[in-house]
Every structure is written in C-alpha cells, then in structure tokens.
Amino acid sequence: METVYLIIALAPLVGAIIAGLFGKKIGKTGAHTVTILGVGLSFGLSVWVFVRLVFQGMPTYDGNVYTWMMAGGYSFHIGFLIDHLSALMMLIVTFVSLMVHIYTIGYMAHDEELWPSDSQVRSTAYQRFFSYIALFTFSMLMLVMSNNLLQLFFGWEAVGLVSYLLIGFYMNKESAIYANLKAFIVNRVGDFGFLLGIAALFAYTGSLNYEEIFSQTGKLATATVMLIPGQEWSLPSVVAILLFIGAMGKSAQVPLHVWLPDSMEGPTPISALIHAATMVTAGIFMVTRMSPIYELSTTALSLMLIIGSIGAFFMGLIGVVQNDIKRVIAFSTLSQLGYMTAALGASAYAAGMFHLMTHAFFKALLFLAAGSVIMAMHHEQDIRKMGGLRKYMPITYVTALIGSLALIGFPGTSGFFSKDSIIEAVELSHIPGAHFAAALLILGVFVTALYTFRLFFLVFHGRERMDAHTRAHLHEPPWVVTLPLTLLALATIGAGGVMYPLLFGDFFRSIYVAPDHNVLAELHHHFHGALAFLIDGFLAPPFWLSMAGVLVAWDVTLYRSKLGIHVHSRLGWVRTILQNGYGFDAFNDYVFARGARGLGRLLWKAGDALLIDGLIVNGTARVIGWTADRLRWIQTGYVYHYSFAMIIGLLVLLSWYVLR
Amino acid sequence: MALPLAKQFALMVPELFLLGMICAILVIDVFLKNSQRNVTYWLSQFSLLITGILVLTMNPGERITGFDGAFVSDPFSVLLKLFVVGITIAVFVYSRPYMRDRELFRGEYFVLGLAGVLGMMVLISAHSLLTIYLGLELMSLALYAMVAFQRDSGRASEAAMKYFVLGALASGLLLYGMSILYGLTGSLDITRIAINLAHSPHPEVAVGLAVVFIVSGVAFKLGAVPFHMWIPDVYEGAPTSVTLYMGSVTKIAAFAMVIRLLAEALPSAHIHWGGMLELLIVLSLAVGNVIAIAQTSIKRMLAYSTISHVGFVFMGVFAGTDAGYAAATYYVLVYALMSAGAFGMIALLSRKGFEAENIEDFKGLNQRSPWLAFMMLLIMFSMAGIPPTVGFYAKLVVLQAVVQVDQPWLALYAVIMSVIGAFYYLRVVKFMYFDKVEEVVPVRLKLDAGILMSFNGLALLALGMFPSVLMVYCTAAAGGL
C-alpha cells in the first residue's frame, strides 16, 4: 500500500514538474493533459483507498517511508498516516482539484488576452497555471497524509507558497502583488505561532510523530510551562493556542483573516480550490488531527469558539455590502470558516470536518459558477453591472442556485445538515463562551442568507444592467466548465447523506473527545433519524432566519430596489464601517506596516548606516586610512632617520627585555 | 668524529660547482659581443639547473656536518636551497625581457645574481657564526651592487647607498651580538654554543645583550619593523628585475639565518628572543598592513606587504615549536613564490619606456590580457590569504602554531591585521577587473615568461588545494633541525 500512497502524493508533483519545466515544449494541451492525468490518478487511487479503508475494513496505515535527516539524535521522517480522517481529506482534495483542473481548461483558454502583449511570461502563463495547481495538489496531499508534524509543516508552507504564487499570478498587476505579499506576510505571523507550538510539543514529548505525541497526553495534561517568570501556564493550553495561531493564519480567522479577501486577485479557479475548498481548511484539519491535545485545554477550546463565532457573524456582515462577485463569496468563506472553527471549539470536531466537506463542495461550486459568470461578462466582476443572467446561462443558474441554497442551509441540502449540526452542537456545549457563540452563529444564518441571495438576485435576476456589447456575447460556457459545475452540484446535494456515520458513527476514530465535552454524543441522543432532523429543520429558528434573509434580499434587490439607496443614506456610517472591514486593514497598514517600516528605517539609518556602516565599518577604514596617510611620512627618505629608527628600536629591545 | 675529507667536500659539491661556473661565466662574458649576451643567460640558467640537480643528488637525506661543524647539510638546507635555485631560475626568466628593453641586459647581472645565490646557499648551510657571516656578506655585497646596477639612475644609486649604509650598520649589530656570544661560550660552532648556553650558568644580562643584537641584525635582513625602513626605498629604487630577485629568494636565505641563530644556537634563550619577536611581529603587522594602504606605487605597496609577511614568518619562529618552525618554513617558501610572481608580473607588464610601477597601471588588465589578470588575481588572493589559494593555508598553519603555544590574542591580532591588509590586495584586483581603460594596449608576452608565470600562479592554487604536498617536506625539515 505504501507504493499506492506514494503514487497518490507524487503523481500531481510529476505533472507539475513536467508542465512547469517543459511547458513550452509540450504546449497547452500537453500541460493540461499531464496534470489532469496526474491528479486524476491521485483521485482514482484515493477513491480506492477510501473504499478499502471505510467499507472493506482495511486497517489504518501508519509508517515512515523515508528518513529525511538525522539531527540531535532525532530522525526526521517522511511518513504517512492513512486513517478515515486523512482518507476523507484526500478524497475531498483530489476531487475538487480534479474538478478545478478540468474547469481551468475553459477558464484559462483565452488567458493571453489578459497579459500585456510584450510580457515575457504571457506565452507560458497557461502551462504555469496548471503546474502551480498540480503542485498545490501535491502539497495539500503531503499535508493531509502526513504522520508527523514536520511533514505537516512542509505541506503547510508549500501550500502557502503556491497560494502566494497564484495570488500574484498576474504579476504585472500591482494589486495582485500587494495581495500576495499581504497573504504571505500575514501567514508568517500565523506560522510563527505554529512553529513555536510544534517546537514546544517536540521539546516536551521528544517526538514529532502524532502517534508518539498522543501516547504521552497523560503526561502532558499536567505539565506546566513558565514563559514569563512567576507565571505558570498549562502546557497543553500554550501548545494548543500556539498551534491555533497557525490555524488562524491559514484558515483566515479574525484577526489574521485580512489576506483572504485580497487573495481574490488570483484567477477564479484557484479561489475555488485554494481559497475556499482546500487550503484554507488546512487549519481546521490540523486542529482536528491534534484533537487529543485540544481536549486537554478548555482555554484553547473557548478561544476557538469565540474567535470562530465572531468571524462567522461579523465577516458575513461585510459580505452584505460588497459589490465584487468574488469578494462577496470570499467574505462568505470567512464566515463559514468561522462556523467550522466554532464547531472545533465546541469539541464537535466531526461536525467541523463535515462542514469542511460540504463547504468544499458548495463553495467550490459557487466560485466556479462565479467564474463562469465572469467569463461570460468578459471579466467584469461588479454585480451592479450584471442582472438577468438566468436566461442566458441556465446551467450556471441552476448550479449556482443549488450552491446558494446549500450555503444558507436550506433544509435538505448538504449545507443544512452540516451547519445545523454545528449550531446545535454549540448550543449544547458547556465550554465558556458557548452561549455567546451560539447566539452569533444563529444570527449569522440570517446574514448568510441575506448576502447570498442579494448576490444571487443581482446576478441572475432583475434588470439587465450590462452594456449592449457584453449582452450580445452572453452565452453558456463550454462543457469543460459546466461539467465540473454539474458534478459539484451533485456532490453538494448528496454530501448531506453521510451525516449519520460521520457525526454519530465511529467514522472519525482518530478524533478524541473528552467525555464531558462530547456534545455530539448528546446530539445523537436527540437524533431520531435524518427525516425527523429535516422536519425539525423547517421548524427551527435558523430556517426562519434564513428565509427572512432571503426575503430581505429579494426586497432590496428586486422588489423595492430603491430601498437599498434609502437604507444607504440613513445608515451610511454602518456601511462605511462594513466596507472598511471594521478597519482591520487600516489598522494593520497604519500600525504594523508603517510601524515595521518605521522601525526598519530607524534601524537602517541609526543602526546600520550610522553605527555599523558609518562608525564601525567606514569609521575603522577611515581611521586606518588616516593613520596610513600620517605614518607614511615617517618614511622621510633620509638615511640618518632610518638609522635613527634602528637605534631606537635597538634601545627599546635592550631596555625592555634586558635591563628591565 | 670527523668525516673523511672527501665526504666533507661532497657536502658542498653544489656550492663548489656554482663557484666554478661563476668564474667561468665571468671570463666567458668578457669575450662576448653585446648581441651574444644570451650565451651568458643560458649559461647561468644551465648552472642553476645543474646546481639544483646536484643539491638533489648529493642530498644525504639526514643531518651531516662537515669542516669541524662549520657546514651542515640537512633536510632543511636541501629544501631551502632547492627553492632558492628554482625561484632564481624564474627570476632570470622574468627579468630577461625587462632588461633587454632597458639596455641592462649585461653579464654582470647574472654573475652577481649567481654570486648572491652562492652566498645564500652558504648561509643556508652555515653552521658556525663565521660561515653565517661569510654567506650573509657574500649575498649582501652582491645585492648592493645589483641595486646600483642601473648606474645612470639617481634613484637606484640613492637606494643602493641607503641599503649599503644601513646594511653595514646591521652587520655591525649582528657581529657585535656574535662576539658577545663567542665571549660567553668560547665557540663559533652553533651546536657547541647551544650546548654551552644550556648547561653552563651565564649572566642573564649578557645573554640578553647578545640576543638583542642578533635579533636586530636578522630583523634588518628580513625587514621587520623598526628595522624595515630601507625596504620601501630600495624596492622602489632598484630596477624591477633586481627587486624581483631581492624580494623573493633573499628572504629564504635570511630566514635560514634566523632559524640557525635563534632556533639552533639560542633555543635556551627563547624567553629573551620570544618577547622581542613578539614586539617586532606586532609592529610589523601593523606598519606593513596600514602603510601599504596609502601607497600608490605597487612596488612600494609590495614592499610594505613584505614587512607584514615577515611578521607572519616571525610568528612561526616565535612559537618556538617544531610545528612553528615548519609553519614558518612553509610560509617563507610560499611567500617567495608569491613575491616572485607579483614582482615578475610588474616586470612583464613593463615595456620599453614604461614602468608598470603604479597600482593604476594595472587598471583594466582584464581587458588587455585576461589570463595574466587571472594570474595576478591568484597571486593577490594568495597574498591576502583567501582560500583556496596557498596563502590561506600558510597563514592558517602559522596561526595554528601560535594558538598551540597559548597565544590566541596574537593570532587574533594577526587575523585582524590580515583583514586590513586584504584591502590593498583586493584593490589591485578591483583595478584589474572593474576599472576600464580607454585604449587597450595588448600585452606582448614572451612564451617562456608566459608559461612560467602561468605555472607560478597556478602553483599557488594547486598548493592551496593540496597543501600537504609541500607541508610534508617542511615538517621533515623542521624535524631535522
């Protein structure tokens, strides 16, 4: 089986290398063929592994395949841990990735038009894009299949790198460069915490291997650490919070979320793959993986609950005032990631993972549908200039509707099952902050429905606001685009069916939940079958809230479109706050970016230029040069001066060493 | 136990052969026309080659003294003599085109040069105070005459005069020290002096006095501060072909004298001369490296660089251990190679009516002759002590020896001074590679000189990569003292 796992991970890498290094030779068709073959192979084998593992009872695999290095008496291994959790992630990653690969053929077909004609990278941009997304698939697989924290970190950084490269894919655009730099720097903050967390774990357990770390949880539970003299902190809390800081960066949690909206500068397929479905959920996956550590720290769980729910509600709110089709969905992703994090905080890891899966499908679907719209609109992304697209693009319309319904959690869709179970789990939780979180999450449902259907109505319904030229060219995209849409729509509808085994069965055997935290077991108590859950869904407040959201959206966009303007004039300041994203960006720019630059300038001018260069380096040189200029005059050229020097030297030697 | 007379003479067969050839060349040269001067040249080279071969074949492979202890042949002397002969051959090759262009291509240069070599060989093999002085004076007299060789040049005459006056003073100091030593021990033989000093009680002050004068004398010959003043003036004033000769081979002979006098005759007085050498080292490193920075003439710059290298050679001696002597030997041999290359380069780049004596004259050498520029780069890197050239390794072994005798601060000081020194070596490299000249005058190069220069430069690189090739012999030489 080892070979199979290696092939799953390496096949996309091979595709990426061929498409990346030989892109010019093999051409566009060659590039997408080879990467799709690689990712397709990974997907096929992932399905096979999943089936064998889940349905045929194959035991969990945990083994090292390669020793990377030895240092300080510890061997760093590359190894795989293939259990139900990683098998599910592999399935999600390879499936969405494959869909995005196919979709990209259509989306990027005319990409050259977006580059300046004298750009040197223009001719191979297509191949480069495929190389990057295949490389991303490899990195993400390495991340989820890892059996140790080091390899997880490798994948973690590698996906960050590819994300950086893809956000800045249009490297001639200044906004793209700004965005990818921002993503990179913000993620550094998170990674710093993450790395410290890994180091702390290694320091206390002497291992990076999950299995070996988890076998020592008993010892860890009571361990304390003194970071500030006189302050004893519980080690599991410190480690869990540090690791969660890493997750905050990668999974865009408040306040490290600021990079995600800007990441929409990248081409739409990667917004679907990386910035919605897979990479940003790496943090959720990591916390789930590390559940035995998190269960030791109520503090960390509480922190996750609060941060997650804040993100879920307030980030959704920003989505309401956005006019860029991709940014609306991006804020929606922030909000949904908040839901997942809140689930983790309530110890409902399985619910978080379930939502991760359904979200991967419906959010990828929404992004790809948005991409389809953008293509049809000739790269116009402002929803105020769209409208009435329903009759031009029926497939996109239907699939987008399915995605939107799943996003607002309409009963019966997969989003309903996953989101409702999160809300109910949080309601049942006794961890400090759970009530606050539950309230925000329920309110969030209204907001979700509002921004989702505001977007939906503005794009697909109502007056056609685009110009005549664009309208004349509106048409449904080719099959390579509609096929992934359809398949993802099917997955979006069907994924809800696995709720029972995922949440209440023993599917996630590797997740450990402390008995007094086990909200899902309690939820199981109240659970009387999917149908009852469904019917309950229609009667519960979340449903009515979401219906209210849809209604308001309909009201402001279609029925009384003037109302929006009215609200705008009355509540302008609210809108300003929301449009500025609560001032996070301004704060970061002002305090951190300007502060860091100011500090850097100070150190440069005072420390480097003045002290080191001026005083130490050039100062020394100047002193030596000056001395040399003076000393050379000792060499007068007079022979009696020379002999005098010799006699003086002799006298010094005599008096110093003989007559002392 | 004395050797049979024939075997004693066998020890000095190379010297005797060279003496015979000098007389022969002197006579033959008289009968040659100016256009036939090449005969003298080739005869001289032939004599050197045979002398070198004789040194090798007559090598006893162990330490044998003859003539009642006045003359010694040991691995140390064989190694040094081979280098003296070999580098002199190179010096003659580099000088020939230079002297042709200046109408200095006369028999006297070669006769004096060979006489100097004879003096050096005697000095290297000398094992009594008398032979040491004989060898030293033979070498020095030849050098005084050579510096003044360009009779119509005021600069050269001035330099020769200074050298002669100061050299006489230094010889006087050395002789005075030797006389005290003789008075104390009643012997001229180095072995006996060493035994006597070690085993009989002597007034400390008297020994110290002798040591001071001897150290001053040898410091003058090598050019350590404050006995260095003659070096820049003489190096600059003398014709480049003579500077080339003085700057390279004579250092080897002077070093032999240092070893014979300090390491062999006065090991028991290490407490005296150790401290004195330390002072000389500190001053030499500082003055040599710092003043070199302010020079515009490359000959003067290299003269100051010599002073700093002498500091390094003395550091090896200062350590007073076998490892230290081996390191110093290694350093001085490598230095002679580098110095021959550097001054040889100046001679090769000069042409009729043009002396390449300013650092600026090296501007844009890379445009004119990339290969020569690369060779000069190797020489400069080696002098600065940048790996992988041999200069790095030479400095390394010396510093190692000093650290081993618990003098880390001296080593640290030497390293800092080397960093300062690196500046002016690298400045030459910068001039060669990064500064452009308007008119590119191609370098005319004789084949033999070109090949030898390539060999010289590449040897610095090769020895740097395989330093043990030479180090083995140096260790053996130091072990056989």
Side-chain angles (χ1 to χ4, degrees):
Chain A
M1 285 309 281
E2 225 171 69
T3 327
V4 176
Y5 301 141
L6 274 174
I7 293 174
I8 292 177
L10 295 181
L13 179 66
V14 172
I17 289 173
I18 295 175
L21 297 185
F22 308 102
K24 233 177 195 144
K25 282 204 192 85
I26 58 176
K28 286 183 168 187
T29 321
H32 70 233
T33 312
V34 70
T35 49
I36 288 177
L37 277 178
V39 176
L41 182 63
S42 285
F43 173 63
L45 289 175
S46 295
V47 172
W48 184 68
V49 166
F50 188 84
V51 168
R52 289 212 49 184
L53 202 61
V54 177
F55 298 110
Q56 299 176 2
M58 188 176 70
T60 297
Y61 173 88
D62 182 1
N64 296 323
V65 292
Y66 175 69
T67 305
W68 180 41
M69 64 169 184
M70 305 263 297
Y74 185 76
S75 310
F76 295 90
H77 293 292
I78 304 294
F80 295 132
L81 167 61
I82 310 294
D83 58 1
H84 287 188
L85 178 61
S86 39
L88 178 69
M89 283 302 286
M90 282 153 67
L91 203 61
I92 298 169
V93 169
T94 51
F95 173 64
V96 178
S97 175
L98 185 63
M99 292 302 106
V100 167
H101 271 75
I102 296 170
Y103 176 90
T104 304
I105 300 174
Y107 187 83
M108 298 293 282
H110 305 292
D111 189 57
E112 294 99 43
E113 293 161 14
L114 296 178
W115 292 90
S117 54
D118 59 341
S119 168
Q120 295 190 346
V121 292
R122 176 177 189 240
S123 60
T124 52
Y126 184 86
Q127 288 93 318
R128 195 156 52 89
F129 188 84
F130 272 97
S131 171
Y132 286 166
I133 51 177
L135 183 64
F136 169 79
T137 314
F138 157 74
S139 315
M140 193 70 198
L141 285 170
M142 286 300 275
L143 193 162
V144 299
M145 291 165 76
S146 164
N147 74 344
N148 61 70
L149 281 166
L150 184 77
Q151 188 183 335
L152 174 83
F153 188 69
F154 161 78
W156 190 270
E157 291 302 303
V159 292
L161 169 71
V162 182
S163 157
Y164 165 82
L165 290 171
L166 282 168
I167 296 171
F169 185 74
Y170 296 114
M171 51 187 97
N172 53 332
K173 269 169 70 182
E174 201 173 329
S175 57
I177 298 304
Y178 174 82
N180 74 352
L181 209 56
K182 186 170 173 180
F184 206 80
I185 292 170
V186 173
N187 270 294
R188 290 277 72 64
V189 179
D191 292 347
F192 183 59
F194 190 40
L195 208 50
L196 284 179
I198 294 176
L201 264 184
F202 183 69
Y204 277 82
T205 64
S207 175
L208 291 170
N209 185 286
Y210 298 145
E211 191 57 47
E212 291 167 20
I213 291 174
F214 297 155
S215 67
Q216 302 181 40
T217 43
K219 193 184 92 186
L220 280 176
T222 51
T224 55
V225 59
M226 209 188 292
L227 294 182
I228 302 167
Q231 296 275 346
E232 291 254 1
W233 289 339
S234 130
L235 179 75
S237 289
V238 170
V239 168
I241 289 171
L242 284 173
L243 292 178
F244 178 59
I245 289 174
M248 281 162 77
K250 192 99 337 192
S251 292
Q253 295 298 309
V254 181
L256 297 182
H257 66 284
V258 289
W259 63 273
L260 189 62
D262 285 10
S263 76
M264 295 302 127
E265 286 292 337
T268 311
I270 65 115
S271 304
L273 175 61
I274 300 183
H275 303 122
T278 54
M279 183 190 86
V280 291
T281 60
I284 311 297
F285 166 78
M286 187 270 291
V287 172
T288 308
R289 189 46 105 198
M290 304 306 290
S291 58
I293 302 287
Y294 279 88
E295 284 303 305
L296 299 175
S297 168
T298 314
T299 321
L301 291 176
S302 181
L303 181 73
M304 289 199 290
L305 255 181
I306 289 166
I307 289 201
S309 55
I310 286 176
F313 178 71
F314 289 100
M315 291 302 121
L317 221 46
I318 301 178
V320 177
V321 298
Q322 296 297 320
N323 290 319
D324 183 317
I325 183 168
K326 284 177 72 182
R327 283 182 81 89
V328 178
I329 311 180
F331 279 103
S332 144
T333 305
L334 286 175
S335 157
Q336 298 303 309
L337 286 168
Y339 276 94
M340 294 177 214
T341 307
L344 303 179
S347 290
Y349 303 99
M353 284 305 295
F354 183 35
H355 195 56
L356 185 160
M357 177 181 82
T358 59
H359 175 256
F361 296 146
F362 68 68
K363 191 51 66 67
L365 171 61
L366 276 177
F367 259 120
L368 294 187
S372 169
V373 167
I374 292 169
M375 262 191 287
M377 295 294 298
H378 294 280
H379 292 275
E380 176 57 69
Q381 300 192 5
D382 193 333
I383 50 177
R384 287 167 300 191
K385 295 181 181 157
M386 300 178 184
L389 292 180
R390 180 179 48 160
K391 65 173 183 246
Y392 301 101
M393 324 176 65
I395 301 178
T396 307
Y397 171 73
V398 172
T399 50
L401 179 62
I402 293 171
S404 301
L405 288 176
L407 177 55
I408 68 167
F410 189 80
T413 60
S414 58
F416 160 75
F417 291 106
S418 57
K419 193 188 279 182
D420 259 26
S421 43
I422 288 178
I423 293 173
E424 292 196 18
V426 173
E427 280 177 340
L428 289 171
S429 173
H430 304 298
I431 291 167
H435 294 302
F436 169 75
L440 281 183
L441 292 185
I442 291 173
L443 286 177
V445 173
F446 169 78
V447 178
T448 307
L450 177 59
Y451 66 70
T452 307
F453 273 86
R454 171 175 170 270
L455 174 78
F456 185 76
F457 290 141
L458 279 175
V459 172
F460 291 104
H461 291 270
R463 203 159 50 80
E464 297 169 10
R465 296 177 294 273
M466 67 293 282
D467 56 47
H469 174 76
T470 312
R471 182 181 303 147
H473 289 88
L474 278 176
H475 61 84
E476 192 74 75
W479 70 269
V480 285
V481 171
T482 52
L483 175 72
L485 287 179
T486 318
L487 289 176
L488 280 168
L490 291 177
T492 302
I493 297 169
V498 297
M499 173 180 175
Y500 189 84
L502 236 50
L503 296 191
F504 309 128
D506 58 350
F507 185 85
F508 290 122
R509 266 161 260 176
S510 63
I511 294 177
Y512 165 78
V513 181
D516 56 333
H517 290 168
N518 203 340
V519 285
L520 285 179
E522 206 171 323
L523 194 59
H524 189 190
H525 235 63
H526 304 294
F527 187 78
H528 308 293
L531 196 66
F533 192 73
L534 190 63
I535 293 167
D536 273 352
F538 279 112
L539 306 171
F543 174 72
W544 297 106
L545 277 170
S546 71
M547 283 305 106
V550 175
L551 203 66
V552 173
W554 174 76
D555 192 32
V556 290
T557 55
L558 300 179
Y559 185 63
R560 286 184 293 177
S561 46
K562 294 241 169 51
L563 186 67
I565 300 159
H566 187 63
V567 172
H568 181 195
S569 59
R570 281 290 173 80
L571 291 171
W573 57 276
V574 176
R575 193 187 162 90
T576 312
I577 289 176
L578 289 181
Q579 268 184 337
N580 291 328
Y582 308 112
F584 277 108
D585 276 337
F587 179 80
N588 288 342
D589 276 350
Y590 195 80
V591 177
F592 291 118
R594 272 187 37 168
R597 284 163 57 109
L599 186 67
R601 202 175 296 115
L602 181 77
L603 290 177
W604 166 45
K605 292 263 198 225
D608 198 55
L610 192 76
L611 208 67
I612 295 180
D613 276 356
L615 205 69
I616 298 179
V617 178
N618 290 336
T620 314
R622 223 172 286 132
V623 166
I624 290 173
W626 185 86
T627 318
D629 265 349
R630 294 295 166 285
L631 280 183
R632 66 185 297 192
W633 299 114
I634 293 177
Q635 198 77 24
T636 52
Y638 294 117
V639 75
Y640 55 88
H641 285 168
Y642 293 5
S643 43
F644 183 66
M646 283 172 68
I647 300 299
I648 293 286
L650 187 74
L651 282 177
V652 168
L653 289 182
L654 267 180
S655 52
W656 199 314
Y657 292 101
V658 182
L659 305 172
R660 65 194 149 148
Chain B
M1 191 199 79
L3 290 164
L5 200 61
K7 283 208 173 167
Q8 297 191 19
F9 272 102
L11 291 179
M12 49 190 310
V13 164
E15 283 83 359
L16 291 175
F17 169 78
L18 189 59
L19 178 63
M21 285 309 289
I22 292 170
C23 298
I25 294 170
L26 192 61
V27 175
I28 293 169
D29 189 61
V30 175
F31 294 98
L32 290 174
K33 287 192 213 107
N34 244 349
S35 55
Q36 293 168 319
R37 212 54 72 192
N38 264 335
V39 176
T40 315
Y41 170 77
W42 286 114
L43 267 177
S44 309
Q45 294 287 44
F46 170 77
S47 320
L48 285 171
L49 192 68
I50 299 298
T51 309
I53 292 172
L54 284 174
V55 170
L56 262 183
T57 50
M58 306 307 280
N59 174 16
E62 54 177 335
R63 187 183 177 92
I64 298 181
T65 50
F67 302 103
D68 205 14
F71 196 88
V72 66
S73 180
D74 54 4
F76 181 74
S77 68
V78 171
L79 179 68
L80 262 57
K81 280 180 197 171
L82 281 177
F83 263 81
V84 165
V85 170
I87 293 176
T88 308
I89 292 177
V91 164
F92 284 178
V93 171
Y94 294 147
S95 333
R96 186 159 67 134
Y98 178 87
M99 298 201 297
R100 271 245 177 82
D101 288 344
R102 278 162 193 72
E103 296 176 1
L104 293 173
F105 193 51
R106 306 224 182 80
E108 289 85 347
Y109 175 78
F110 297 104
V111 173
L112 286 170
L114 291 180
V117 171
L118 180 62
M120 291 177 219
M121 289 173 70
V122 170
L123 183 54
I124 289 170
S125 268
H127 212 243
S128 102
L129 298 182
L130 203 60
T131 358
I132 288 179
Y133 191 67
L134 272 180
L136 177 65
E137 284 307 290
L138 180 53
M139 173 182 92
S140 300
L141 284 171
L143 285 175
Y144 300 145
M146 283 171 90
V147 173
F149 191 65
Q150 200 171 7
R151 276 170 309 183
D152 48 359
S153 158
R155 266 200 328 181
S157 309
E158 184 192 330
M161 205 63 208
K162 282 180 189 165
Y163 188 25
F164 183 67
V165 171
L166 297 174
L169 183 60
S171 288
L173 296 177
L174 186 65
L175 270 183
Y176 187 50
M178 285 178 171
S179 70
I180 299 174
L181 215 50
Y182 178 67
L184 281 173
T185 62
S187 172
L188 290 172
D189 180 41
I190 282 180
T191 322
R192 268 178 241 153
I193 292 173
I195 294 171
N196 191 299
L197 282 180
H199 297 294
S200 321
H202 292 289
E204 280 289 306
V205 175
V207 178
L209 216 57
V211 170
V212 164
F213 283 102
I214 285 176
V215 166
S216 305
V218 297
F220 174 84
K221 281 297 157 193
L222 274 173
V225 181
F227 307 96
H228 69 289
M229 304 287 256
W230 60 278
I231 288 196
D233 289 11
V234 174
Y235 275 27
E236 196 192 14
T240 305
S241 52
V242 176
T243 313
L244 169 60
Y245 180 82
M246 289 180 68
S248 51
V249 278
T250 60
K251 298 295 171 205
I252 299 179
F255 170 71
M257 179 169 72
V258 172
I259 290 291
R260 298 293 184 208
L261 282 174
L262 296 185
E264 288 202 57
L266 298 164
S268 53
H270 183 262
I271 43 163
H272 291 294
W273 55 262
M276 295 178 202
L277 285 194
E278 196 167 14
L279 182 71
L280 298 184
I281 293 164
V282 169
L283 288 176
S284 297
L285 288 175
V287 168
N289 282 316
V290 171
I291 302 189
I293 290 174
Q295 302 304 320
T296 51
S297 153
I298 189 155
K299 279 164 85 178
R300 281 188 89 86
M301 186 198 97
L302 287 175
Y304 282 106
S305 121
T306 301
I307 295 168
S308 72
H309 285 294
V310 165
F312 262 96
V313 173
F314 269 147
M315 267 166 70
V317 181
F318 161 77
T321 56
D322 271 2
Y325 297 142
T329 311
Y330 191 81
Y331 199 97
V332 83
L333 295 180
V334 165
Y335 173 70
L337 260 183
M338 298 189 293
S339 165
F343 285 113
M345 189 66 78
I346 301 174
L348 293 186
L349 292 179
S350 303
R351 49 183 189 274
K352 205 164 193 154
F354 172 74
E355 290 280 341
E357 60 184 4
N358 287 323
I359 303 175
E360 303 229 324
D361 296 331
F362 280 77
K363 263 188 184 167
L365 183 60
N366 187 40
Q367 286 167 280
R368 297 170 56 202
S369 168
W371 181 249
L372 278 189
F374 179 59
M375 290 303 125
M376 190 65 178
L377 170 102
L378 287 180
I379 292 166
M380 288 294 124
F381 273 17
S382 185
M383 283 198 165
I386 297 170
T389 55
V390 69
F392 167 73
Y393 186 76
K395 282 193 166 55
L396 184 71
V397 283
V398 166
L399 293 174
Q400 228 169 13
V402 174
V403 171
Q404 272 167 5
V405 295
D406 288 333
Q407 295 281 351
W409 291 108
L410 186 62
L412 187 67
Y413 174 77
V415 169
I416 292 172
M417 284 302 154
S418 301
V419 171
I420 294 174
F423 168 77
Y424 57 85
Y425 297 122
L426 294 181
R427 189 170 53 173
V428 175
V429 174
K430 179 230 164 204
F431 272 135
M432 290 193 302
Y433 281 90
F434 299 109
D435 286 7
K436 300 282 176 255
V437 281
E438 254 122 64
E439 54 165 342
V440 177
V441 187
V443 180
R444 285 179 305 112
L445 199 58
K446 286 270 189 304
L447 185 66
D448 55 349
I451 290 173
L452 204 64
M453 181 55 76
S454 313
F455 181 75
N456 198 332
L458 294 176
L460 297 178
L461 190 63
L463 277 177
M465 288 196 236
F466 309 103
S468 56
V469 176
L470 181 55
M471 196 62 207
V472 195
Y473 293 107
C474 293
T475 314
L481 285 176

